[in-house]
Amino acid sequence: MVKRRLKLLPKAGPVILAAIALTMLSGCATRPSPDVLKPVHLNEALHSEVTSGRVSVLAATNRSADAIRGGFGSAWSETLTYEQYEFSVPPGRKGTVISYPTSRLDPERQFAVTGREQLPKDAFVQEAIRSVQSDGTLGIFVHGYNYSYQEALFRTAQIAADAKIPGAPILFSWPSAAAVAGYVADRDAALSSRSELGSLVTSLSASGKVKRIILFGHSMGGFLVMETVRQLKLQHRDDVIGKLAVVLAAPDIDVDVFRSQLADIGRMPIPISLLVSKDDRALVASSFIAGERPRVGRLDIDDPVIGEEALRERLRVIDITSIQASDGLGHDRYASLAKYGAQLASFESGKRASAGDVGAYVFDAAGAAVASPFRLAGRFVGAH
C-alpha cells in the first residue's frame, strides 16, 4: 500500500485514556475463574426445556496448564493442548454479554460447560473434520489482548450459538496475560504463537474434506493471524494459504506493519476482510501506547485513500460502527456480528472473489437485521 496519510479519529487525550482504563479495570472485578470450566450435570428434561440447545467447541492452546485450578494460565507452553467442550446455552439472551455459571447455576440465564475432554492431536483433527460444513468450511477464532482461556472459550460458544454454526467451531487460545497492564507481554506472546497457530492450520488443511478455513482474528489476535499467514508464505505453503479466508475484526495492527505484512504475503486467493470502527476507544488506547501510531482497526472509510488502497490491495474494508457494542469501548462489535448470519462461513460467498468483491463498504445493521442469510458482498452500502 502506498504511504499516504490515512484518516483516523483525533488523538486521545489524558482524560479519554483514563476513562478507558477505568472502564477496562471495572470489568476485571467479576472475571471468571477456571472453575467455570468444570462440567455441570443438567437434568435432560430441564436442559431441553430451558436452554436453546447445545453448542460444541474445539479448543487448541499453547498456554501451560494450571494443574491447581484446572484451567490454563498465561505461561507459554512449547506444545499444543487440545480439548473438546459441550455447552448449554440459555434462552432469551439479549446482546452478547455472557453470564458465567455460579455455584448455584441458573441455566435460564447462564452459559455452562456440560462436557469437557482432552484429546490427542489426531483425535482433535478428526473431530474438526467431522465439523466441516457441507461446503468444506471450518472456522477458527483467535482472541485478542487481555483474554483468559475461559473468557475466550465462552466467547467462542456465544458466537457459535448466535451464528447457529453446524458442527464445532475451533478456538485457538494463545497465552495472553489476561491483565490490563499486560499489553506488551501480550504482544510478545502473540508473536511467539505464530508457529503453533500455523501448525494447527496446516494440520487441518491437509484433509481433502477441508476446502476453506475461516481464520477470524480479533484485535491483537488479528496481528497473530497476519503474522502466521506471513510465516506460511515465507515457508512457501501456498497450498495452505490457498484455503484461508482471513477476517480481521478491530485489528490491533500498526498501519505500516500491516503494509509490510501485505507486501510479504502478496495477494491471497480469497481477499482479506477488515472489520473496522471509527469509535473504537480500545484502539485509541493501543495507538497511544504505541506512540500514537494509527491502528488498522480504526481506518476511516470516508477517506478516499482507503477505498483506493483497498481496491489496489484486494482488501475488503467494512465499517461496522452501526453494530452495537457491549463493552463500553466499541471494541467487541464482532461478537454481535454472528447474529446477522446463519454461520461464520457467511463472511465469504464460497467462491473466489472477483474485483467487485473488494473495496470499502459500510455495514447497514438495520438492513441486515431483517435479511438472512447475511452475505459480506451483498449487505454493504458502497462507500467508494
Side-chain angles (χ1 to χ4, degrees):
M1 301 173 82
V2 296
K3 293 191 175 183
R4 286 188 279 179
R5 185 172 180 81
L6 305 181
K7 188 186 297 184
L8 295 156
L9 290 180
K11 296 178 181 178
V15 175
I16 296 177
L17 291 171
I20 291 172
L22 288 173
T23 302
M24 296 175 78
L25 285 169
S26 67
C28 297
T30 57
R31 298 181 75 166
S33 75
D35 289 340
V36 301
L37 299 175
K38 297 177 181 178
V40 299
H41 175 73
L42 292 180
N43 178 278
E44 285 298 320
L46 178 66
H47 184 278
S48 60
E49 179 181 347
V50 303
T51 66
S52 59
R54 300 174 186 262
V55 169
S56 298
V57 175
L58 294 169
T61 183
N62 61 329
R63 296 173 183 260
S64 291
D66 185 338
I68 297 176
R69 300 198 295 174
F72 295 89
S74 58
W76 304 1
S77 173
E78 295 181 357
T79 59
L80 285 171
T81 300
Y82 305 94
E83 293 192 312
Q84 183 176 27
Y85 288 84
E86 298 290 334
F87 283 84
S88 70
V89 180
R93 292 172 295 114
K94 296 181 180 180
T96 59
V97 176
I98 296 172
S99 293
Y100 292 96
T102 56
S103 57
R104 300 185 66 176
L105 176 66
D106 181 357
E108 292 189 4
R109 64 181 186 85
Q110 295 174 328
F111 281 77
V113 171
T114 58
R116 178 184 182 184
E117 181 182 5
Q118 190 168 123
L119 302 174
K121 179 181 178 180
D122 289 347
F124 178 90
V125 171
Q126 289 305 311
E127 285 295 331
I129 292 174
R130 275 194 282 270
S131 293
V132 171
Q133 297 169 27
S134 59
D135 64 352
T137 297
L138 276 178
I140 301 176
F141 172 58
V142 184
H143 63 79
Y145 149 73
N146 192 20
Y147 264 82
S148 68
Y149 177 79
Q150 53 269 19
E151 287 170 331
L153 183 69
F154 274 71
R155 178 59 71 195
T156 308
Q158 173 262 311
I159 293 173
D162 286 353
K164 298 179 175 59
I165 302 171
I170 301 167
L171 165 69
F172 178 81
S173 183
W174 50 276
S176 165
V180 174
Y183 186 85
V184 175
D186 274 15
R187 192 79 171 177
D188 291 342
L191 197 58
S192 75
S193 301
R194 293 172 296 186
S195 294
E196 286 78 10
L197 179 55
S199 174
L200 174 64
V201 170
T202 299
S203 296
L204 296 175
S205 69
S207 170
K209 294 183 179 179
V210 177
K211 306 301 181 183
R212 179 180 50 181
I213 299 174
I214 296 176
L215 198 50
F216 190 110
H218 172 237
S219 190
M220 197 175 285
F223 171 70
L224 170 55
V225 165
M226 286 297 291
E227 281 296 301
T228 299
V229 177
R230 175 180 177 272
Q231 181 167 291
L232 288 169
K233 183 66 177 182
L234 296 178
Q235 294 171 344
H236 307 292
R237 294 306 306 266
D238 290 342
D239 57 324
V240 179
I241 293 175
K243 292 186 176 184
L244 297 183
V246 172
V247 182
L248 308 179
D252 187 1
I253 308 175
D254 178 279
V255 168
D256 286 333
V257 169
F258 186 64
R259 288 191 178 104
S260 177
Q261 291 169 329
L262 288 176
D264 287 340
I265 295 171
R267 293 188 175 185
M268 296 184 64
I270 302 175
I272 296 172
S273 296
L274 308 178
L275 309 180
V276 304
S277 303
K278 301 173 185 178
D279 63 353
D280 190 324
R281 293 186 294 281
L283 292 182
V284 173
S286 171
S287 178
F288 180 83
I289 293 171
E292 300 194 352
R293 294 185 59 82
R295 319 313 281 174
V296 173
R298 293 185 67 243
L299 292 177
D300 185 350
I301 67 166
D302 291 331
D303 185 347
V305 174
I306 302 301
E308 294 171 7
E309 296 197 9
L311 290 170
R312 182 181 302 109
E313 299 293 340
R314 294 189 73 249
L315 302 173
R316 297 169 178 168
V317 184
I318 305 105
D319 189 315
I320 60 171
T321 305
S322 64
I323 296 177
Q324 185 176 0
S326 63
D327 61 358
L329 300 174
H331 195 54
D332 69 349
R333 289 184 171 92
Y334 76 97
S336 298
L337 194 64
K339 70 181 180 181
Y340 294 108
Q343 51 193 14
L344 281 178
S346 61
F347 281 109
E348 301 290 341
S349 65
K351 302 176 182 178
R352 292 296 186 265
S354 66
D357 294 322
V358 298
Y361 302 88
V362 174
F363 175 59
D364 179 6
V370 296
S372 179
F374 163 70
R375 283 212 179 280
L376 180 64
R379 300 295 180 207
F380 300 111
V381 180
H384 58 273

